[in-house]
Amino acid sequence: MSYRLYIPGPLTISESINQAMGKPMVGHRSKDFVALYEDMQPKLKKMFMTQDPVYLGTSSAWGVMEGALRNVCRKGVLNCMNGAFSDKWNDVAKRCGKYAEALQFDWGKPVDPEAVRKALATGKFDCITFIHSETSTGTLSPIADIMAVVREFPDVISIADSVSSFSTLPINKDELGVDILLTGSQKALALPPGLAIFAVSERARERAKQMTDRGYYFDLIEFHDNHSKGMTPSTPCISLLFGLQHRLIEVEAEGLENRYERHRRLNEQVRAWAFGKGFSLLPEAQFATRGLNCFKNDRNVDLERLNKILKSRHKLVIDGGYGKLKGKTFRISNMGDETDATIATLIAALNDGLAEQGM
Ligand SMILES: *Cc1c(COP(=O)(O)O)cnc(C)c1O
């Protein structure tokens, strides 16, 4: 059974991406691979707004989220936490044997730059993690204000997750001074899962060189050495890279500014529908992310029943809340390839599904 995914990743894969991924395989040490790799670099740098190399890791985002810590956290990491993914990062850091402290905010609240300043001023940390768009709560943290604070601490390497914000709105890596900016394939880029994409500063690589236990699979120095040859350290998910290559061509054709505008517009359309039905956003509107919306289930909808109807009758699904927010919130993605038409279809289906519950 095939149905369209309006959950915040993975998303439905377009026909054009599926076709691109079906290209004949090439060897990962071949000239053809180097051509593929080098064709994508300038386009990726443009999207990341950086002069830094953009590495391609064969793993989901968590691979790089863990690997980054192993490369740059020597003294301690400050984990800014305001939702399921950012909270987990603290646990991951501890499992890697790192000294890690939680800077906890309520779910649905953004990271507060002043609290970051206070914590970093203790001198206990040489790196920081935060999530730009906390997908579990649909919350966007003020990355410019956070990075303005982080830049006051030259020893602190910043690791920022843009998994559900990348390419939905501008994130100027170099201007912000983010050291490691990472994203994954299956959210804002609407590719299949399995690829992590991350841009890394020279500062972060210099730190990595001092680390003796950074491992192999996510060793930034290995990534960089191979990058210089247009390759990856180990055999990557080449089919997915064909998909990424095609995605980059599509993004270029659309234009980044138009892409941001499309995401903003579709995001507003979903918001307007939900507000009309009596639902409110979980975060304050000014901190609500643009690739998805996380609404409070103000009207006590039976979300499982709603999704059953959406799936069986309309061949689509939304998300019924993540982790401890299950049943209390619902999330609707407008990332990737959504258009005015696909969002209109979704809204009509939602209206039908809610009518079943007398709404
Ligand atoms: C989905 C997501 C992740 C985890 O991604 P995986 O691909 O499952 O490793 C991390 N951070 C954010 C913000 C996410 O939305």
Side-chain angles (χ1 to χ4, degrees):
M1 178 186 181
S2 137
Y3 47 92
R4 190 167 184 86
L5 300 170
Y6 292 89
I7 60 173
L11 299 163
T12 299
I13 308 303
S14 72
E15 208 32 63
S16 64
I17 294 289
N18 273 327
Q19 265 184 24
M21 288 191 307
K23 279 192 187 164
M25 192 47 58
V26 298
H28 68 299
R29 302 297 179 215
S30 70
K31 281 194 178 122
D32 293 322
F33 183 83
V34 174
L36 166 67
Y37 191 97
E38 292 185 342
D39 172 60
M40 292 193 287
Q41 272 304 308
K43 297 186 183 98
L44 286 169
K45 285 182 178 175
K46 206 168 147 195
M47 282 184 89
F48 276 92
M49 301 187 200
T50 188
Q51 301 298 317
D52 291 331
V54 182
Y55 307 137
L56 303 169
T58 294
S59 74
S60 77
W62 271 117
V64 171
M65 291 163 79
E66 173 173 324
L69 287 172
R70 298 193 60 190
N71 274 271
V72 305
C73 178
R74 207 174 30 182
K75 187 156 64 170
V77 58
L78 180 69
N79 301 118
C80 303
M81 294 158 49
N82 61 339
F85 295 104
S86 46
D87 287 11
K88 181 83 188 160
W89 222 339
N90 183 244
D91 173 42
V92 170
K94 288 176 181 161
R95 291 192 201 197
C96 291
K98 301 297 181 186
Y99 177 76
E101 272 190 31
L103 185 61
Q104 185 79 61
F105 305 94
D106 290 342
W107 283 29
K109 294 274 190 268
V111 172
D112 171 18
E114 272 315 309
V116 170
R117 177 180 283 118
K118 239 189 211 164
L120 292 182
T122 63
K124 290 195 275 187
F125 310 105
D126 60 2
C127 66
I128 182 171
T129 66
F130 68 93
I131 291 186
H132 181 218
S133 167
E134 197 12 289
T135 316
S136 63
T137 64
T139 304
L140 199 63
S141 282
I143 190 167
D145 299 339
I146 296 168
M147 285 309 303
V149 167
V150 174
R151 289 196 306 268
E152 293 169 19
F153 301 89
D155 282 350
V156 175
I157 300 285
S158 49
I159 311 169
D161 166 326
S162 68
V163 171
S164 65
S165 53
F166 184 73
S167 86
T168 69
L169 43 79
I171 308 169
N172 194 322
K173 180 182 182 294
D174 285 359
E175 200 175 289
L176 294 167
V178 176
D179 288 295
I180 301 179
L181 183 62
L182 67 102
T183 190
S185 51
Q186 82 275 24
K187 304 230 175 128
L189 292 171
L191 295 167
L195 173 66
I197 309 167
F198 54 118
V200 177
S201 70
E202 193 178 349
R203 258 163 53 90
R205 288 199 307 276
E206 286 308 313
R207 172 71 60 80
K209 283 181 191 160
Q210 300 163 23
M211 304 288 293
T212 52
D213 58 351
R214 59 184 190 265
Y216 165 70
Y217 198 73
F218 290 105
D219 178 358
L220 295 182
I221 308 308
E222 286 281 351
F223 268 95
H224 194 69
D225 290 348
N226 280 278
H227 167 85
S228 314
K229 296 179 269 181
M231 294 179 198
T232 54
S234 48
T235 320
C237 45
I238 295 172
S239 301
L240 242 166
L241 296 185
F242 284 135
L244 176 63
Q245 183 183 38
H246 190 75
R247 170 62 75 220
L248 295 175
I249 290 166
E250 290 185 348
V251 168
E252 198 159 65
E254 181 178 21
L256 270 176
E257 291 300 326
N258 293 335
R259 187 177 175 86
Y260 304 146
E261 163 54 25
R262 173 168 59 85
H263 286 304
R264 194 204 55 77
R265 185 176 75 243
L266 302 180
N267 189 260
E268 287 290 337
Q269 288 169 6
V270 178
R271 281 188 200 183
W273 166 81
F275 296 162
K277 285 283 175 191
F279 299 105
S280 55
L281 285 164
L282 178 68
E284 272 178 62
Q286 60 167 320
F287 298 115
T289 196
R290 287 302 184 174
L292 66 134
N293 282 299
C294 180
F295 298 108
K296 287 190 239 174
N297 187 7
D298 301 292
R299 299 193 63 190
N300 271 317
V301 173
D302 181 339
L303 293 170
E304 278 185 33
R305 188 173 147 209
L306 172 64
N307 244 341
K308 261 187 202 150
I309 294 199
L310 292 178
K311 191 171 174 180
S312 61
R313 202 182 284 169
H314 301 280
K315 309 281 182 272
L316 60 91
V317 290
I318 63 165
D319 172 83
Y322 194 102
K324 66 184 182 192
L325 294 176
K326 189 170 158 65
K328 299 192 183 107
T329 61
F330 59 99
R331 300 178 303 159
I332 297 174
S333 167
N334 57 273
M335 293 185 278
D337 296 315
E338 301 309 340
T339 62
D340 295 88
T342 64
I343 293 295
T345 302
L346 165 71
I347 287 174
L350 287 166
N351 284 335
D352 178 59
L354 286 181
E356 290 277 327
Q357 297 185 36
M359 286 174 225

